[in-house]
Amino acid sequence: MALDLTAQIALLRNVATRLRIDSIRATTAAGSGHPSTCCSAADIAAALFFAEMRFDPQRPEDPDNDRFVLSKGHAAPLLYAAWAEAGAFPREDLLRLRELGSDLEGHPTPRLPFVDVATGSLGQGVGAAVGIALNARRTGSAYRTYVLIGDGESAEGSVWEAAAVAAHYELGSLCGITDVNALGQSGETAWGHDLQPLRRRWEAFGWNTILVDGHDISDLLGAFEAARRVTDRPTMILARTVKGKGVSFVEGKGGWHGRPLKKDEEALALAELEAQFVPGPGEDEAAASIAAPPRTSAWVEPASGAEIAPPAYAPDASIATREAYGTALVKLGTVDPRVVVLDADVKNSTFSDKFEKVFPQRFFQHFIAEQAMLGVAMGLASRGAIAFPSTFAAFFTRAYDFIRMAAISGLNVKMTGSHAGVSIGEDGPSQMGLEDLAMMRTQPNIAVLYPCDAVSTERLVAGMAYHPGPVYLRTSRPKTPVIYGNEESFPIGGCKVLRRSENDVATVIAAGVTLFEALKAYEQLEQAGIAIRVIDLYSIQPIDGAALRQAAAETNGRLITVEDHYAGGGIGDAVAAATTGVASVQKLAVREIPRSGKPDELLDRFGISASHIVTAVKG
Amino acid sequence: MALDLTAQIALLRNVATRLRIDSIRATTAAGSGHPSTCCSAADIAAALFFAEMRFDPQRPEDPDNDRFVLSKGHAAPLLYAAWAEAGAFPREDLLRLRELGSDLEGHPTPRLPFVDVATGSLGQGVGAAVGIALNARRTGSAYRTYVLIGDGESAEGSVWEAAAVAAHYELGSLCGITDVNALGQSGETAWGHDLQPLRRRWEAFGWNTILVDGHDISDLLGAFEAARRVTDRPTMILARTVKGKGVSFVEGKGGWHGRPLKKDEEALALAELEAQFVPGPGEDEAAASIAAPPRTSAWVEPASGAEIAPPAYAPDASIATREAYGTALVKLGTVDPRVVVLDADVKNSTFSDKFEKVFPQRFFQHFIAEQAMLGVAMGLASRGAIAFPSTFAAFFTRAYDFIRMAAISGLNVKMTGSHAGVSIGEDGPSQMGLEDLAMMRTQPNIAVLYPCDAVSTERLVAGMAYHPGPVYLRTSRPKTPVIYGNEESFPIGGCKVLRRSENDVATVIAAGVTLFEALKAYEQLEQAGIAIRVIDLYSIQPIDGAALRQAAAETNGRLITVEDHYAGGGIGDAVAAATTGVASVQKLAVREIPRSGKPDELLDRFGISASHIVTAVKG
């Protein structure tokens, strides 16, 4: 549809007014929500959705659609109103905002087909948008990626990590818009309405910047067009806005964050807004004005994983599981072009550099910025990639809020944490992942895997790629012997009973490095005439409860868990939960802040070596 | 001691050479470590410790000493060598680096009296230094704070969060030095040796910057002096350096990160370094050249907490625990000047704004930057403050790596997370803290508290202030009735048995909002003639194992836990661990990603309402 500029601006002004009306009506109906933050961004959303972006509102999954991320997730009603205006669903649905039966939640989640990543934890949208923009390179599409952020959330460091990565990758297809309404939740932002500090920051981080009046449609259209012409770096449009714009008694006032209008206030506001409609094209013409995406991508994602080369280890080999992870990534990447690998300057420790050497185009470097790595992984995964970010197990704590949001989003983010536990030795506690199992396992939809040898690592890396949703794999620093045959399979949710007799007095359950302590203990006890069962719990979540309960039933109800992890929330707790009422679980785990030392010394000092297992069995 | 500039430079050059020698000898003796990163920063350390800083090496705890934070913690051997050179301990001890019996760990921890906060997780030092610098205002001291960071770690967003806070508070007493050696762990940094991108960033974040040759002592001394003259904002000295400086075959080469010199390499290196000594003052004169701190502070920390005003709630009151938290902070702040409160733009939701209104000088705003809030809290706590950072429970995940390091450091960081669980209702999963208990409880030295009413909240806030080390308190969004008398006490590690009879068929263990579901279930079951025991588990870690085991023994070994938290790692797991072998624990917890809805609907939908408890008891 060809409208002249005057008609187009009139159309967009009216769209913005309807978006404000819808946002207010929805939040008043819900009795909660953030109408004032919707009003500040309504003109931006109108210009973006109904003039700038090229997409098919009926097919939000279209691989060539321009993409939009609402980083300031509390403006969800505005997002929903825009998609309703675009015809994606009936406008009446907006009045079911925040109801239990509605997918129009308080903050956006991918339950909605037009939401790629859940937002609402501020500062995460830019990272996701960077991942989505990088995905266009992977699939060869010309789609552009837009992200709307708040000025308040620009204080989050994660924004600047992502900004740096976007500039590093020269993402000209990425365009951000900052809704500078000057008001945070509890007061004015650090900068108020002064756009210059934000301009200086974005430019210092390598972005093109454009300053506009965020309520001037013509200004906004010009900025989007100018942004499209800058192809060697991302653009941030800094839009000066007024929180609550369009409703006189809310405009620019404190105390309106996260507060819906009461019924009488709503009536006043709607009357004011109705009066703001201008003569111009009608409501139907808004949706019709959306341009379809050009067919640029011939990309078809493979339906499922092809056959992966099996492990090929000599029976007497000794290989760190972290190294087997790198080998597995290469095999996986060879058969599946969806596989991408992400690093934060530890690729030579996690061994993800093996993948980089073979597939440099599918390897993304974030430098020392774990939140950016996770955010980008989320964005890539949201558009069809199978994303493998890896770093030290300890440093996933840096990105835990992103991991939490990846779980809420149910994305195919496949995390691998190396250097788990005190067995890393001399580097000391800051480098020891001792809470990673707990932080991953508490997320109900994250699978948690922990191989002890190279064969199980390779099998589990392949398994995690095709397990739906987020997965965490824990690898170890020390070399460990290969104990499994190359043909062995390791279904997620299973375990391996490695030692078993009719006379077992107890079952020792271990994983990773402690499995070898358990096997040592088995031999020492055998010489003393004591038989134990030994289980390799390579899958901690889901857990093989039936096998554990059977072992308990056959070994006097005595289970001893041993883990290179803190005592809370890890293997011991997982086993206890799976066997409650049928077993007594003695946990051998790290129970204090550890310190530097040699790996074997530390296993012993912190109570998880073979000798401690022997004592526990005898005790 | 008055040396002329020529003599002083000769002295410092020789100090730097000794620091390099010591760093290399220590890491070679240890067989691991990062000598090349020590060498790049050796001249900086020499100038800082032996010319710029005013401190008493024999009394590192002196409240007027200038402070130093080694953000690039892997340069620990350099830090240790500097303190040995200053006479704090015998130089020979350096050769026990990284041994189990030595406090000279792989990365610095506060086991050493001259280390305020543990470092080694990159990007955390600036936040701690900001807190330490703010502490000087609290105590009225004129000490200055220095922080040495790596160029690589400047990619961490947490650095920029802290940078913004430092500028906001106009911390002229804070001076950073970036060791721009251009090499990260796995490759070149994003900027190599170009100082301009870093300069632009620091200036955009409001800092004064000075560019120097990091191996030119005269340049460094001038920069420190210039920094001292800028009193209205912090200064970042960007020092161009060479990784491995002083050892020709290491200088500027890749592949030397985290790699000690072998014995033969060490011999070559030491020979090269020995040749770099220049004529000048001798070794003894270095320590003697350190200036004592001027006596500026009359501050004496109070020995312990004074009497805090008791709770004063009417028995029929209904108050959210988050609001009682704010009330408690004010009472605490009134009697103890060490108490400081930190926010990240949610003070009106957590109710920490009550404290701000009374004690604005002890209230610190970080805007939406949770990592900065925790880092600053760590810095303040390391210098004697009792620091209370609070935000939504969910958003502590953003700062989990800082929390982990606060635990390693054993600091008095007293965290409170509001808006826990699905009971927040309509805002949806992004705002619901459902993993906070697991992430806190897995840290072995974090106490985890969860009050259900206003009285217990006030008592526990007072208790957490004086409990040694980090503590986490979980508050709730909904109002809850006051069920305890104002005189009731709540020792950390205890619990309350609220309902008890001889005929109890099971024990229901709850905390926070679910405690009221348990009490409702009690009444419903009572009408059906079924008696249950009800326990308020307000202290989850430490946990009252004896009371729980007794309850199990008296109620058929049947324990039912109910928690507004994910199933893994929370109350259920804590109870199961404390009662293994003597009880069967049925966990009622949130077992899937939740969604928006009304609080009561969600408690029911996700299996933690009274009706689910009734079913569990009957089942």
Side-chain angles (χ1 to χ4, degrees):
Chain A
M1 191 183 66
L3 288 175
D4 66 24
L5 184 60
T6 310
Q8 187 182 35
I9 288 174
L11 177 145
L12 295 174
R13 286 184 59 185
N14 289 340
V15 167
T17 297
R18 279 194 297 277
L19 298 182
R20 290 189 170 98
I21 289 171
D22 284 340
S23 299
I24 286 170
R25 291 182 68 219
T27 48
T28 295
S32 64
H34 304 76
S36 64
T37 202
C38 296
C39 288
S40 68
D43 302 293
I44 296 166
L48 198 49
F49 277 76
F50 298 92
E52 171 65 11
M53 282 169 57
R54 297 170 304 175
F55 67 108
D56 181 346
Q58 305 302 324
R59 297 187 62 245
E61 74 285 2
D62 188 312
D64 288 323
N65 275 355
D66 284 347
R67 311 302 310 177
F68 174 74
V69 178
L70 181 69
S71 187
K72 46 178 285 176
H74 52 299
L78 176 68
L79 177 74
Y80 305 156
W83 281 91
E85 175 88 14
F89 58 86
R91 200 179 289 269
E92 309 86 78
D93 289 1
L94 296 172
L95 295 179
R96 299 195 54 220
L97 178 74
R98 294 172 163 244
E99 286 182 9
L100 182 50
S102 165
D103 286 342
L104 301 175
E105 297 195 71
H107 295 76
T109 75
R111 286 199 173 96
L112 293 163
F114 51 81
V115 173
D116 291 333
V117 297
T119 54
S121 184
L122 292 170
Q124 297 205 7
V126 180
V130 172
I132 292 169
L134 285 170
N135 184 72
R137 293 191 182 165
R138 183 181 71 91
T139 62
S141 176
Y143 73 74
R144 287 177 64 75
T145 304
Y146 298 87
V147 55
L148 177 62
I149 77 171
D151 48 352
E153 69 174 309
S154 304
E156 291 284 12
S158 53
V159 171
W160 303 104
E161 292 184 11
V165 174
H168 177 73
Y169 282 104
E170 302 179 346
L171 286 177
S173 69
L174 176 63
C175 178
I177 310 99
T178 305
D179 176 13
V180 187
N181 65 30
L183 292 172
Q185 172 180 321
S186 70
E188 199 173 60
T189 65
W191 318 282
H193 264 128
D194 183 0
L195 300 184
Q196 294 304 325
L198 286 170
R199 181 187 62 74
R200 284 193 291 271
R201 291 179 187 201
W202 286 100
E203 291 190 353
F205 276 76
W207 286 48
N208 175 47
T209 61
I210 303 172
L211 276 55
V212 300
D213 175 344
H215 301 306
D216 183 324
I217 296 285
S218 172
D219 237 23
L220 286 164
L221 294 180
F224 288 129
E225 191 183 339
R228 258 183 276 124
R229 285 197 299 267
V230 176
T231 57
D232 63 343
R233 66 209 144 110
T235 291
M236 178 56 69
I237 298 170
L238 296 164
R240 189 185 192 285
T241 65
V242 176
K243 201 159 176 172
K245 175 73 178 179
V247 181
S248 60
F249 53 94
V250 179
E251 279 188 1
K253 296 213 167 56
W256 280 98
H257 183 93
R259 180 178 152 195
L261 277 67
K262 299 195 186 86
K263 266 290 169 192
D264 54 337
E265 294 167 337
E266 182 195 33
L268 289 172
L270 296 186
E272 280 192 27
L273 287 164
E274 295 283 351
Q276 291 167 29
F277 282 117
V278 295
E283 193 168 334
D284 294 345
E285 289 173 77
S289 72
I290 298 170
R295 286 294 140 220
T296 54
S297 164
W299 183 261
V300 179
E301 298 283 11
S304 71
E307 193 71 25
I308 296 158
Y313 293 100
D316 58 349
S318 186
I319 317 251
T321 52
R322 60 185 171 126
E323 185 167 358
Y325 165 70
T327 304
L329 284 181
V330 173
K331 290 181 177 178
L332 194 59
T334 304
V335 299
D336 196 328
R338 293 174 298 183
V339 172
V340 297
V341 176
L342 301 93
D343 180 41
D345 194 23
V346 289
K347 64 187 178 187
N348 53 340
S349 289
T350 61
F351 284 95
S352 68
D353 59 355
K354 290 186 180 223
F355 184 92
E356 182 189 28
K357 286 175 190 129
V358 185
F359 305 107
Q361 299 303 317
R362 285 191 273 149
F363 183 88
F364 301 101
Q365 182 56 262
H366 302 78
F367 301 97
I368 308 177
E370 295 78 12
Q371 295 185 91
M373 178 173 70
L374 265 287
V376 172
M378 289 165 69
L380 280 158
S382 77
R383 302 310 308 142
I386 304 174
F388 282 80
S390 39
T391 181
F392 284 26
F395 302 144
F396 274 108
T397 59
R398 187 64 68 100
Y400 191 35
D401 195 26
F402 283 76
I403 293 167
R404 180 178 77 91
M405 295 298 286
I408 290 173
S409 303
L411 292 167
N412 281 322
V413 172
K414 315 296 183 180
M415 301 167 278
T416 296
S418 67
H419 294 69
V422 299
S423 57
I424 71 160
E426 293 84 352
D427 271 344
S430 66
Q431 318 295 301
M432 295 169 172
L434 286 159
E435 55 283 285
D436 54 319
L437 296 178
M439 71 183 238
M440 297 295 184
R441 173 180 161 256
T442 191
Q443 301 292 334
N445 63 345
I446 297 188
V448 180
L449 310 174
Y450 188 8
C452 68
D453 83 340
V455 169
S456 50
T457 303
E458 281 205 31
R459 294 291 187 186
L460 289 170
V461 170
M464 76 196 277
Y466 303 110
H467 182 84
V471 183
Y472 177 66
L473 180 103
R474 186 184 218 220
T475 64
S476 303
R477 182 173 182 277
K479 291 186 180 188
T480 48
V482 170
I483 61 167
Y484 291 110
N486 286 313
E487 70 299 336
E488 190 89 26
S489 70
F490 294 83
I492 292 176
C495 69
K496 298 286 178 189
V497 181
L498 294 183
R499 298 290 184 272
R500 179 208 300 261
S501 80
E502 297 295 309
N503 310 315
D504 297 338
V505 300
T507 300
V508 175
I509 299 158
V513 294
T514 60
L515 195 269
F516 300 95
E517 300 301 314
L519 293 174
K520 270 188 253 173
Y522 171 89
E523 289 181 13
Q524 292 172 24
L525 288 162
E526 190 180 38
Q527 290 181 0
I530 300 170
I532 56 168
R533 191 156 301 185
V534 177
I535 290 181
D536 174 9
L537 194 70
Y538 66 82
S539 178
I540 295 165
Q541 180 164 281
I543 194 165
D544 192 346
L548 295 172
R549 287 189 292 273
Q550 187 187 339
E554 294 173 3
T555 63
N556 310 309
R558 283 189 69 204
L559 304 182
I560 298 164
T561 59
V562 52
E563 59 193 305
D564 194 358
H565 185 272
Y566 286 140
I571 292 174
D573 279 1
V575 169
T579 60
T580 186
V582 301
S584 166
V585 179
Q586 183 175 356
K587 285 196 282 189
L588 303 182
V590 180
R591 291 184 180 274
E592 61 183 301
I593 304 292
R595 54 191 301 152
S596 292
K598 293 192 184 2
D600 284 346
E601 287 175 346
L602 296 183
L603 291 177
D604 202 52
R605 165 72 172 259
F606 296 104
I608 55 173
S609 65
S611 71
H612 288 275
I613 299 171
V614 167
T615 303
V617 170
K618 289 181 175 170
Chain B
M1 190 183 65
L3 289 175
D4 67 24
L5 185 60
T6 311
Q8 185 181 36
I9 289 174
L11 178 145
L12 295 174
R13 285 184 61 185
N14 289 341
V15 168
T17 298
R18 279 195 296 277
L19 298 182
R20 290 190 171 97
I21 289 172
D22 284 340
S23 299
I24 286 169
R25 291 183 68 218
T27 47
T28 296
S32 64
H34 303 76
S36 63
T37 202
C38 295
C39 289
S40 66
D43 302 294
I44 297 166
L48 199 49
F49 277 77
F50 298 93
E52 171 64 11
M53 281 169 57
R54 299 170 302 175
F55 67 109
D56 181 347
Q58 304 304 324
R59 298 186 63 245
E61 74 287 1
D62 189 311
D64 287 322
N65 274 355
D66 284 347
R67 310 304 308 178
F68 174 74
V69 179
L70 181 69
S71 188
K72 46 177 287 178
H74 53 299
L78 176 68
L79 176 73
Y80 306 155
W83 281 92
E85 175 88 14
F89 59 86
R91 200 179 290 270
E92 310 84 80
D93 289 3
L94 296 171
L95 296 178
R96 299 195 54 219
L97 179 72
R98 295 173 162 243
E99 286 182 10
L100 183 50
S102 165
D103 287 341
L104 302 174
E105 297 195 71
H107 295 76
T109 74
R111 286 200 173 94
L112 293 164
F114 51 81
V115 173
D116 291 332
V117 297
T119 54
S121 185
L122 292 171
Q124 297 204 8
V126 180
V130 171
I132 292 169
L134 285 171
N135 184 73
R137 293 191 183 168
R138 183 181 71 91
T139 63
S141 176
Y143 72 75
R144 288 177 61 77
T145 304
Y146 299 86
V147 55
L148 177 62
I149 76 171
D151 49 351
E153 69 174 309
S154 304
E156 290 284 12
S158 53
V159 171
W160 303 104
E161 292 184 13
V165 174
H168 176 73
Y169 283 105
E170 301 178 347
L171 286 176
S173 70
L174 176 62
C175 179
I177 310 98
T178 305
D179 177 13
V180 187
N181 66 28
L183 292 173
Q185 172 180 320
S186 70
E188 199 174 59
T189 65
W191 318 281
H193 264 129
D194 183 0
L195 300 184
Q196 293 305 325
L198 285 169
R199 182 187 62 74
R200 283 194 292 272
R201 290 179 188 202
W202 286 100
E203 292 190 352
F205 276 76
W207 286 49
N208 175 47
T209 61
I210 302 172
L211 276 55
V212 299
D213 175 345
H215 302 307
D216 184 322
I217 296 286
S218 172
D219 237 23
L220 286 164
L221 294 179
F224 287 129
E225 192 183 339
R228 257 184 279 123
R229 285 197 299 267
V230 176
T231 57
D232 63 343
R233 66 209 143 111
T235 291
M236 178 56 69
I237 298 170
L238 296 164
R240 190 185 191 286
T241 64
V242 175
K243 201 159 176 173
K245 176 72 178 180
V247 181
S248 59
F249 53 93
V250 179
E251 279 189 0
K253 296 214 167 56
W256 279 98
H257 183 93
R259 181 180 151 193
L261 277 67
K262 299 194 186 88
K263 266 289 169 193
D264 54 337
E265 296 167 336
E266 181 195 34
L268 289 172
L270 296 186
E272 281 193 26
L273 287 164
E274 295 282 351
Q276 292 168 27
F277 283 118
V278 294
E283 192 168 335
D284 296 342
E285 289 173 79
S289 73
I290 298 171
R295 286 293 140 222
T296 54
S297 166
W299 184 261
V300 180
E301 298 283 11
S304 69
E307 193 70 26
I308 296 158
Y313 293 100
D316 58 350
S318 187
I319 316 252
T321 52
R322 60 185 171 127
E323 185 167 359
Y325 165 70
T327 303
L329 285 181
V330 173
K331 290 182 177 177
L332 194 58
T334 303
V335 299
D336 196 328
R338 295 174 297 182
V339 172
V340 296
V341 175
L342 301 92
D343 179 42
D345 193 24
V346 288
K347 63 187 178 187
N348 54 339
S349 290
T350 61
F351 284 95
S352 68
D353 58 355
K354 289 185 181 227
F355 185 92
E356 182 189 27
K357 285 175 191 128
V358 185
F359 304 108
Q361 298 304 316
R362 285 191 272 148
F363 183 88
F364 301 101
Q365 183 56 262
H366 302 77
F367 301 96
I368 308 177
E370 295 78 10
Q371 295 185 91
M373 178 173 69
L374 264 288
V376 171
M378 289 165 69
L380 279 158
S382 77
R383 301 310 308 142
I386 303 173
F388 282 81
S390 40
T391 182
F392 285 25
F395 302 143
F396 273 109
T397 59
R398 187 64 68 100
Y400 192 33
D401 195 27
F402 283 76
I403 294 166
R404 179 178 78 91
M405 296 298 286
I408 289 173
S409 303
L411 292 167
N412 280 322
V413 172
K414 316 298 182 179
M415 301 167 278
T416 296
S418 67
H419 293 70
V422 300
S423 57
I424 70 160
E426 292 84 351
D427 271 345
S430 66
Q431 317 295 301
M432 295 168 173
L434 287 158
E435 54 283 285
D436 53 320
L437 296 178
M439 73 183 237
M440 297 294 184
R441 175 181 160 255
T442 191
Q443 301 293 334
N445 63 344
I446 297 187
V448 180
L449 310 174
Y450 188 8
C452 68
D453 83 341
V455 169
S456 49
T457 303
E458 282 204 32
R459 293 290 187 187
L460 288 170
V461 170
M464 74 196 279
Y466 303 110
H467 182 85
V471 183
Y472 176 66
L473 179 102
R474 186 185 219 220
T475 64
S476 303
R477 183 172 182 277
K479 291 188 179 187
T480 48
V482 170
I483 61 167
Y484 292 110
N486 287 314
E487 70 298 337
E488 189 91 25
S489 70
F490 294 83
I492 292 175
C495 68
K496 298 286 179 189
V497 181
L498 295 183
R499 299 289 184 274
R500 179 210 300 261
S501 80
E502 297 294 309
N503 310 315
D504 296 339
V505 299
T507 300
V508 175
I509 299 158
V513 294
T514 59
L515 195 269
F516 300 95
E517 300 301 314
L519 293 175
K520 270 188 253 173
Y522 172 88
E523 290 181 12
Q524 292 172 23
L525 288 162
E526 191 179 36
Q527 291 181 1
I530 301 170
I532 57 169
R533 190 156 301 185
V534 177
I535 290 180
D536 174 8
L537 194 70
Y538 66 81
S539 178
I540 296 164
Q541 180 163 281
I543 194 165
D544 192 346
L548 296 173
R549 287 188 292 273
Q550 187 187 339
E554 294 174 3
T555 62
N556 310 309
R558 283 188 68 204
L559 304 182
I560 297 164
T561 59
V562 52
E563 59 192 305
D564 194 359
H565 185 273
Y566 286 141
I571 292 174
D573 279 1
V575 169
T579 60
T580 187
V582 300
S584 167
V585 178
Q586 183 174 357
K587 285 196 282 188
L588 303 183
V590 180
R591 292 184 179 273
E592 61 183 301
I593 303 293
R595 55 191 302 152
S596 291
K598 294 193 183 6
D600 284 346
E601 286 176 346
L602 297 183
L603 291 178
D604 201 52
R605 165 71 173 260
F606 295 105
I608 55 174
S609 65
S611 70
H612 288 275
I613 299 171
V614 167
T615 304
V617 170
K618 289 182 176 170

